[in-house]
Amino acid sequence: MVVRAHSSAAGALALLSEPDVVFKQHALKALNQLVPQFWAEISEHIVLIESLYEFEELPKEVRDIAALLASKVYYYLGEYDEALSFALGAGNAFQAEGRTYDAKEYVETIISKAIERYIQLCSAEASSGSKIEARLQFIIEGIFQRCIDEGEYKQAIGIALESRRLDIISQIYDLTGDVSLLCYAMEIVLDTGFSLSYRDQVLNFLTPLFPLPSQTNSTHMLALARLHVTLNNPSITVTLLSSLVPKEKLVAYQFAFDLVEGGARDFLEGVRKDLPQGKDDTKEIFENLRNILGGEETVKLYLEFLKRSNKVDMLILKHSKDALEPRSSIYHSALTLQNAFMHAGTTSDIFLRDNLEWLGMATNWAKFSTTAALGVIHKGYFQQGMNILGPYLPQPGTESQIQGAVYSEGGALYALGMINAYGGGQTMDYLRETLRNSQNEVVQHGAALGLGIAGMGSRNTDAYDELKETLFSDSAVAGEAAGYAMGLIMLGSASQARAEEMIAYARETQHEKIIRGVAMGLSFVFYGRQEEADDTIRLLLADKDPIMRYGGVYTLALAYAGTSNNDAVRRMLHIAVSDTSDDVRRAAVISLAFLLFKNPGQVPRIVQLLSESYNPHVRCGATLALGIACAGTGMQDAVQILEPMTKDGVDFVRQGAFIALGMILVQQSESSSPSMASTRALYAKVISDKHEDPMARFGAALGQGLIDAGGRNVTISLQSRAGTRNTSAIVGMSLFCQFWYWYPLAHCACLAFEPTAMIGLNEDLKVPKFEFVSNARPSLFAYPAPATPPKKETAAKMVTAVLSTTAKVKAREKKKAAADHESMDTDEKVEVKKDSDVEMKTEEAPPPSRRKAEPASEKLANFCRVTPVQLGYVSFPSDGRYQPVRSVTSNALNPKGTMGALSQTTKKGLVSERYAGGGGILILIDERPDEETEFIELQPPATPAGAPSGSAVPNGDANVADRPSHIAVDSNSPEADPPESFEYPFDS
């Protein structure tokens, strides 16, 4: 018999008014089945249904069904909070409903709303102490249990973290013993914008759960390093390191190197001081750990790598030098920055010494920038910084009388800060003394910038007070640098008192340069402080002065750097389209990169529409946002947005596009990135085009320097190898963006350069010779081919013009000669071939040569370049003598089908976790310690001595002993001797 379809719920609704309980129960059950179809009709009787639920004389089963019916009606009405409230009252009826297939959507919605309310109540309970009702607690406990039973552990951990139920995480780990789940919990709490206080609470809870790393169990070592760096608690780290000595000393060394990669300066210094002296058998180990944590060992190894592997193509620099007019300040600065970036950290100044005449053309601030470039080139060369810059540094107690010398002196002080970036020491004392004693604002400018970079994050109150005195002198040039430096010294301190005095002075002064320096300094003070910076951000963004709002944008960006915080992104987008100042709008778009650099794949999608804005400043901001967030990824989605912008009608938009392309394509090969060859050709074309706008040519020169940065051995990344924020890189890039107002600040981009080396050390911290395997085609990660010099064009021979009258005369003569020839009576007959019968002799084409098949893998030696994406393809042979203590990378790729894997990685933006697996410096386990070991000899730092200035220095050589004492950049220096006289043979 066919069941008749219902046309109305009126019959069942009528039964609700019957006095008999059985009729009411039957009606409620029937209506529960009819709700999806007749919810509008049933909703008119919702008051009656609610009264049945509240009528205590009815059996509980009937009341539960009434509550379930009311919940469904409110669900279809879109009143989800009311629906959840009645679902909680439905008890067993709701549990039974969860097992029916037809109600799946309704049940999932109610459960998601229950989780949301539970999270809200748990947060409120933590702050106000309010209690959670038992019915909601019962449902949530059921959800946790179901997730655990079904093996959905990550889902349970996510809910537990949101609802502050850390006991669930402990319960899951006790059940599974899976360390990767602890790593997952740590990544969630670090990358999804939890408050700082709760973040620290979770990390302190997770720390004792992590097992001690060992040579047999080191998969979680990078996660553990990230946890300790974020907690910034030296006592916990000292306890861990002490427990690894002496049994796991190799693991302790590796952990110390990983801490140095991402640790703050005060944290590492605290760990060094608190490490025990050790006994007879452990004293040497603890001393080695102290040396590693000092950071100098890491810098020394990377410096040696950059010197050895320098692959700068000098022909590119020569082409730029020939094309850019040196007497123009902007072009001189462009070539200075290009050379500085290309030779960053390599200690090779051969281009400068080969072009002393070009150097002598620098004047005023161009001279300042040129001298400062030495700091970029020698970055990290702590031992010889003072000796290299000695000729330019101001002499104590005397003011130089040479015209323009103050610019060289200021630039040298700035360079000294960059050489000692993030490791000031005695350099800070020297810079402070110079700042105190100098009365010249240019020298003060350089000293303040150098002091800020060298003392970054040191929170040295004496240095801060001396910079404050310079600021209060109200000199626009010195005050701007002092504003930047005050923020750098107090990096991440969130000192409210210092922030208030900086804001007060910014509102008093009339100098825009000082206001901008102070505004940016405020953003550094609140770096990484998240909600602690909210009041200051609100104050700055509401200010009438656009420069203060500009500082507020950067304060918001740096306070929430790397968190991808939705509220921060929403505010940035709102400012980018609504603020009345173009500078503020541009800064808001650029700042998206600082918020989202851990998820670079999202940035092209967010910036796509902004890149098509009618406002050129917004378009310019979109280019730099793509460049900074997607730096080093080669992401094609970003490149496809930028390529049309290189033809934009506004010069500074094109400038931004050229710079951004250089950042994105750094360390990409033509095989891995199809845009590489065309971008390099575009740079050469723009730089050579004398009709191109100067700003666009400036951008192309910078882009060319960035794409070949550090001798082609560094990448640009705002994330450290341990997965933490790379503080110096974030600060460096935010300062680099200020080149819009002040070109010398562009040098700070070198703070974001990360060497991409694979350096293996044995237990004695020496560098043995060995090989490992890269399971990818060599061309995918090869260095670019050297540029070829332009071919000399030979003058084509001009065709002689023939007049029409001449042609007619020749034709008549030819006809007459032919007639005479036919009339002659000869024995031989001349066979005349027609044009169509001419035989064409063709050479057989040689058979096409077969291209040699490229191998699927290659062997690489220790101390070589391994790019971030290439880390996923690196493996150590199982039968090899050396094995790394920890894995090379935590996101290894499948060696098979490497091209597909690479394209997938590049397009989808999976390289956002490119440093989550390390690379860098690896401690090695020697499987055959009895065999003789061959080591790579590291060059000891040479003591500078006088050398003849005519000696040539090969590219990449960093021996100071082979150098002349200094490079003349002073315009008053003696000129080179004129060439010998000669006579030109005019008669020939």
Side-chain angles (χ1 to χ4, degrees):
M1 187 174 84
V2 178
V3 179
R4 222 167 63 180
H6 292 277
S7 59
S8 172
L13 289 169
L15 291 176
L16 291 177
S17 303
E18 291 293 327
D20 194 336
V21 175
V22 176
F23 286 130
K24 292 181 188 294
Q25 184 174 358
H26 174 74
L28 290 170
K29 286 182 177 179
L31 288 170
N32 260 317
Q33 304 298 322
L34 299 174
V35 168
Q37 188 176 0
F38 300 108
W39 58 269
E41 185 179 356
I42 298 170
S43 65
E44 296 176 4
H45 298 79
I46 190 65
V47 177
L48 176 60
I49 297 170
E50 287 182 22
S51 65
L52 291 175
Y53 162 62
E54 295 167 357
F55 191 45
E56 295 183 357
E57 295 183 7
L58 290 175
K60 187 172 186 312
E61 182 184 358
V62 177
R63 292 175 61 200
D64 287 352
I65 298 173
L68 179 63
L69 178 59
S71 174
K72 285 186 174 182
V73 171
Y74 279 117
Y75 163 74
Y76 283 109
L77 288 170
E79 299 288 342
Y80 296 124
D81 290 334
E82 290 291 331
L84 173 59
S85 299
F86 282 102
L88 292 175
N92 294 331
F94 180 75
Q95 298 292 333
E97 189 73 14
R99 291 189 286 271
T100 60
Y101 180 78
D102 294 340
K104 185 178 180 181
E105 184 179 341
Y106 158 73
V107 171
E108 286 181 355
T109 304
I110 296 300
I111 286 176
S112 68
K113 290 296 174 183
I115 293 171
E116 287 179 16
R117 182 179 292 185
Y118 184 72
I119 290 168
Q120 291 173 358
L121 292 173
C122 286
S123 300
E125 183 183 23
S127 57
S128 62
S130 57
K131 294 293 182 183
I132 300 171
E133 58 177 309
R135 295 179 302 178
L136 180 59
Q137 187 79 38
F138 176 76
I139 287 182
I140 297 299
E141 292 294 342
I143 292 170
F144 280 133
Q145 192 57 50
R146 190 177 71 183
C147 288
I148 293 171
D149 292 343
E150 295 177 359
E152 298 289 344
Y153 301 120
K154 290 185 177 180
Q155 188 174 352
I157 288 172
I159 299 171
L161 285 172
E162 290 273 6
S163 59
R164 300 172 185 259
R165 288 289 304 277
L166 302 183
D167 59 299
I168 298 295
I169 299 174
S170 179
Q171 179 185 339
I172 291 173
Y173 180 66
D174 291 341
L175 181 68
T176 62
D178 189 352
V179 182
S180 65
L181 294 175
L182 297 180
C183 299
Y184 174 75
M186 184 200 72
E187 289 168 6
I188 286 179
V189 80
L190 289 178
D191 296 337
T192 50
F194 285 98
S195 67
L196 289 179
S197 56
Y198 181 56
R199 181 199 73 183
D200 290 346
Q201 180 187 343
V202 174
L203 294 181
N204 281 312
F205 175 81
L206 292 175
T207 300
L209 295 181
F210 274 100
L212 275 177
S214 64
Q215 293 184 19
T216 56
N217 181 23
S218 61
T219 55
H220 61 289
M221 193 182 296
L222 282 159
L224 203 57
R226 187 182 181 190
L227 186 149
H228 281 258
V229 165
T230 308
L231 272 179
N232 203 22
N233 188 335
S235 60
I236 296 176
T237 308
V238 168
T239 304
L240 175 64
L241 287 171
S242 301
S243 63
L244 294 173
V245 178
K247 292 184 179 179
E248 298 287 351
K249 73 170 184 177
L250 296 183
V251 176
Y253 290 160
Q254 181 66 69
F255 192 68
F257 275 116
D258 291 341
L259 290 176
V260 171
E261 293 286 356
R265 182 173 171 177
D266 55 342
F267 165 67
L268 295 174
E269 196 58 36
V271 176
R272 282 188 71 198
K273 289 180 179 177
D274 294 346
L275 276 176
Q277 292 299 320
K279 300 177 183 178
D280 294 339
D281 58 334
T282 60
K283 190 173 183 179
E284 183 184 357
I285 298 173
F286 281 115
E287 191 59 35
N288 285 337
L289 285 173
R290 269 187 283 272
N291 291 336
I292 294 170
L293 291 167
E296 293 183 6
E297 195 71 25
T298 300
V299 172
K300 183 182 77 174
L301 289 168
Y302 283 142
L303 188 68
E304 182 69 22
F305 160 71
L306 291 174
K307 284 159 49 181
R308 285 172 175 266
S309 307
N310 185 6
K311 293 289 190 296
V312 169
D313 194 335
M314 299 301 292
L315 200 60
I316 294 175
L317 279 170
K318 182 179 181 301
H319 168 263
S320 297
K321 175 183 164 293
D322 293 342
L324 298 174
E325 171 56 47
R327 294 195 182 277
S328 169
S329 176
I330 184 172
Y331 292 147
H332 201 286
S333 295
L335 186 55
T336 296
L337 290 166
Q338 180 181 348
N339 172 57
F341 291 158
M342 291 175 77
H343 284 103
T346 63
T347 71
S348 170
D349 53 17
I350 185 171
F351 176 78
L352 299 178
R353 287 187 288 126
D354 284 349
N355 296 280
L356 295 178
E357 183 182 354
W358 168 81
L359 277 175
M361 294 181 182
T363 58
N364 298 338
W365 287 107
K367 188 182 297 184
F368 177 95
S369 191
T370 304
T371 315
L374 291 173
V376 180
I377 293 170
H378 297 282
K379 177 175 172 279
Y381 204 7
F382 300 131
Q383 301 91 339
Q384 300 298 334
M386 292 292 289
N387 294 324
I388 292 166
L389 297 169
Y392 315 108
L393 292 170
Q395 301 304 315
T398 59
E399 290 284 343
S400 177
Q401 301 303 316
I402 303 174
Q403 183 184 2
V406 290
Y407 293 99
S408 295
E409 292 174 357
L413 293 167
Y414 182 22
L416 190 61
M418 283 188 285
I419 288 177
N420 294 275
Y422 224 56
Q426 295 179 351
T427 305
M428 283 186 66
D429 298 333
Y430 172 77
L431 290 168
R432 284 172 53 196
E433 184 182 353
T434 308
L435 183 66
R436 270 197 310 270
N437 298 334
S438 177
Q439 301 302 316
N440 185 281
E441 63 179 8
V442 177
V443 176
Q444 288 178 333
H445 183 88
L449 286 177
L451 180 57
I453 293 172
M456 191 190 306
S458 64
R459 305 182 187 179
N460 186 315
T461 54
D462 294 336
Y464 176 85
D465 291 339
E466 287 166 9
L467 288 164
K468 187 167 66 173
E469 287 180 18
T470 305
L471 178 73
F472 288 170
S473 68
D474 211 40
S475 163
V477 174
E480 180 187 26
Y484 288 122
M486 288 163 68
L488 291 171
I489 293 289
M490 290 296 163
L491 184 71
S493 65
S495 172
Q496 202 62 42
R498 292 192 168 89
E500 288 172 2
E501 66 182 6
M502 291 170 76
I503 292 172
Y505 186 75
R507 287 174 173 166
E508 287 176 13
T509 185
Q510 299 300 311
H511 296 292
E512 286 190 0
K513 290 171 77 70
I514 293 179
I515 298 172
R516 183 172 294 109
V518 170
M520 284 302 300
L522 281 166
S523 68
F524 298 140
V525 170
F526 289 98
Y527 167 76
R529 305 308 296 182
Q530 297 187 23
E531 68 273 5
E532 293 177 26
D534 285 347
D535 293 338
T536 305
I537 292 168
R538 202 175 297 111
L539 183 68
L540 291 172
L541 290 178
D543 202 287
K544 291 181 181 179
D545 189 343
I547 303 177
M548 296 297 282
R549 295 202 303 276
Y550 180 91
V553 167
Y554 271 99
T555 305
L556 175 60
L558 297 188
Y560 289 91
T563 62
S564 303
N565 184 281
N566 287 332
D567 290 335
V569 172
R570 194 179 298 112
R571 290 172 77 178
M572 288 297 186
L573 291 171
H574 175 70
I575 294 167
V577 297
S578 65
D579 199 276
T580 55
S581 167
D582 286 336
D583 286 353
V584 177
R585 295 177 70 174
R586 185 183 66 252
V589 182
I590 293 173
S591 295
L592 290 170
F594 294 107
L595 296 171
L596 298 167
F597 66 80
K598 288 187 179 178
N599 300 293
Q602 293 182 10
V603 179
R605 180 173 53 84
I606 292 174
V607 171
Q608 173 77 53
L609 290 176
L610 295 173
S611 68
E612 300 168 6
S613 169
Y614 73 93
N615 189 318
H617 290 266
V618 173
R619 298 202 299 275
C620 178
T623 61
L624 290 176
L626 287 168
I628 294 169
C630 305
T633 64
M635 192 178 294
Q636 285 303 304
D637 291 343
V639 172
Q640 286 168 7
I641 295 173
L642 288 169
E643 283 179 338
M645 300 180 81
T646 59
K647 303 179 183 68
D648 196 278
V650 181
D651 53 357
F652 59 78
V653 177
R654 296 201 298 279
Q655 179 191 69
F658 292 138
I659 293 171
L661 281 171
M663 292 180 180
I664 292 172
L665 296 176
V666 62
Q667 286 204 332
Q668 301 297 312
S669 67
E670 293 186 14
S671 297
S672 63
S673 179
S675 306
M676 193 66 179
S678 60
T679 302
R680 286 187 178 277
L682 181 63
Y683 284 150
K685 175 178 175 293
V686 172
I687 291 172
S688 302
D689 187 357
K690 295 187 184 298
H691 302 290
E692 181 63 84
D693 288 305
M695 292 185 74
R697 296 176 78 187
F698 180 89
L702 258 65
Q704 203 163 51
L706 291 167
I707 207 170
D708 288 333
R712 297 176 170 172
N713 291 304
V714 301
T715 189
I716 300 171
S717 174
L718 306 189
Q719 193 174 356
S720 73
R721 287 183 176 84
T724 58
R725 287 189 301 254
N726 187 342
T727 299
S728 62
I730 294 170
V731 170
M733 271 300 154
S734 58
L735 283 171
F736 169 77
C737 292
Q738 309 313 308
F739 80 87
W740 179 276
Y741 308 100
W742 196 233
Y743 280 151
L745 291 174
H747 287 300
C748 292
C750 72
L751 299 176
F753 293 169
E754 286 291 317
T756 52
M758 181 76 81
I759 301 173
L761 304 178
N762 67 358
E763 63 177 355
D764 299 323
L765 303 183
K766 293 182 179 179
V767 188
K769 290 184 178 180
F770 72 96
E771 290 183 334
F772 54 93
V773 179
S774 172
N775 297 295
R777 293 186 287 111
S779 63
L780 287 178
F781 305 110
Y783 285 104
T788 54
K791 295 180 180 178
K792 293 183 179 179
E793 297 182 1
T794 55
K797 191 174 181 180
M798 299 295 293
V799 179
T800 306
V802 180
L803 296 175
S804 59
T805 53
T806 307
K808 289 178 181 177
V809 170
K810 286 186 177 181
R812 281 197 299 271
E813 289 177 356
K814 190 175 181 181
K815 191 173 182 182
K816 185 179 178 183
D820 293 343
H821 181 71
E822 287 177 2
S823 62
M824 291 174 65
D825 200 11
T826 58
D827 295 337
E828 293 181 357
K829 288 186 178 179
V830 180
E831 184 179 350
V832 181
K833 291 187 177 180
K834 296 180 181 178
D835 291 343
S836 58
D837 298 328
V838 174
E839 293 182 7
M840 300 292 291
K841 293 185 178 180
T842 57
E843 296 181 2
E844 292 184 6
S849 58
R850 291 186 178 180
R851 183 180 293 179
K852 188 177 179 181
E854 189 177 5
S857 63
E858 63 176 327
K859 287 187 176 181
L860 300 174
N862 191 15
F863 230 80
C864 72
R865 183 185 87 157
V866 178
T867 65
V869 179
Q870 190 177 6
L871 285 172
Y873 301 96
V874 166
S875 63
F876 280 69
S878 56
D879 58 346
R881 177 176 177 179
Y882 293 102
Q883 298 294 330
V885 166
R886 64 157 166 79
S887 58
V888 176
T889 178
S890 60
N891 48 340
L893 302 171
N894 186 359
K896 295 181 180 179
T898 54
M899 185 59 210
L902 181 72
S903 60
Q904 180 186 19
T905 303
T906 307
K907 286 181 181 177
K908 295 190 177 180
L910 300 181
V911 286
S912 62
E913 296 179 352
R914 56 192 176 281
Y915 285 133
I921 298 171
L922 293 173
I923 300 297
L924 305 170
I925 303 169
D926 191 350
E927 303 286 359
R928 298 192 286 273
D930 298 334
E931 294 182 10
E932 188 177 351
T933 307
E934 192 175 355
F935 294 104
I936 297 174
E937 292 297 327
L938 303 183
Q939 294 180 3
T943 306
S949 58
S951 59
V953 180
N955 192 18
D957 193 343
N959 286 341
V960 185
D962 297 338
R963 293 187 173 147
S965 59
H966 66 281
I967 302 163
V969 295
D970 189 61
S971 56
N972 297 318
S973 60
E975 295 182 359
D977 294 332
E980 296 178 2
S981 59
F982 63 95
E983 293 182 3
Y984 186 81
F986 290 99
D987 299 333
S988 60

